[in-house]
Amino acid sequence: MPIVACAFCGKEFMAKPSRVSSGRGRFCSRQCRSMEQRSGQTRTCVLCGKPVARPASPYCSHRCSVSALYTRSSSVRRCSWCGEGFSATSIRDRYCSRLCEAKHKISEGNICLMADPWRAGFVPPDRYGEDAWRSPDDNLGY
């Protein structure tokens, strides 16, 4: 087997002739191969300015790439409750704040603050005995 010098650290190692002839036997270890790929190709993240470890991506993390996608592609959206404009951070954003979302759900009857499922009729009276966490209380009226 031929002795070849590592393209990154210069250490000599033995490589198979077939790997050398095909151009693959250039590095003594995976670490040297990885370091050689990263050396001299550092960039800064397009969104936050942190150094990018992967030279193929313009962003430092998945979070930055997704944030850039939504800030770039989505223009100002209108809140479904108050009608005010806001910039969405995900595809599913319909409200400008959690408060508007809660007000809309309360107005539709989907949610009630401090609601009791027994008093509201969501739990029928014949199911009281099957509830392991709560039983009816005569003093409270449910």
Side-chain angles (χ1 to χ4, degrees):
M1 279 202 243
I3 297 176
V4 182
C6 177
F8 181 72
C9 67
K11 177 181 166 186
E12 293 185 349
F13 67 99
M14 293 175 69
K16 291 182 180 179
S18 61
R19 292 184 63 83
V20 173
S21 66
S22 66
R24 293 182 297 161
R26 296 179 45 218
F27 304 102
C28 62
S29 65
R30 288 183 181 174
Q31 184 179 7
C32 281
R33 179 178 175 266
S34 173
M35 295 301 287
E36 197 271 336
Q37 286 179 340
R38 292 182 183 186
S39 66
Q41 296 180 6
T42 57
R43 292 190 283 185
T44 58
C45 178
V46 174
L47 191 68
C48 68
K50 291 181 184 176
V52 178
R54 295 178 307 268
S57 174
Y59 304 105
C60 64
S61 64
H62 180 69
R63 182 180 219 161
C64 278
S65 65
V66 170
S67 296
L69 175 72
Y70 291 117
T71 56
R72 185 174 8 114
S73 66
S74 66
S75 59
V76 176
R77 289 189 191 175
R78 294 280 169 209
C79 178
S80 294
W81 177 250
C82 68
E84 194 163 317
F86 71 100
S87 125
T89 56
S90 84
I91 296 171
R92 296 181 179 156
D93 284 350
R94 293 179 45 206
Y95 307 99
C96 62
S97 66
R98 302 282 279 179
L99 182 63
C100 281
E101 183 178 3
K103 286 179 182 178
H104 189 229
K105 285 183 178 182
I106 290 170
S107 71
E108 288 183 341
N110 292 342
I111 189 173
C112 296
L113 300 177
M114 304 294 286
D116 183 21
W118 284 270
R119 182 170 281 172
F122 296 126
V123 178
D126 60 336
R127 301 283 184 197
Y128 283 158
E130 296 176 14
D131 188 9
W133 291 280
R134 188 169 177 182
S135 59
D137 189 352
D138 294 330
N139 295 331
L140 296 175
Y142 56 87

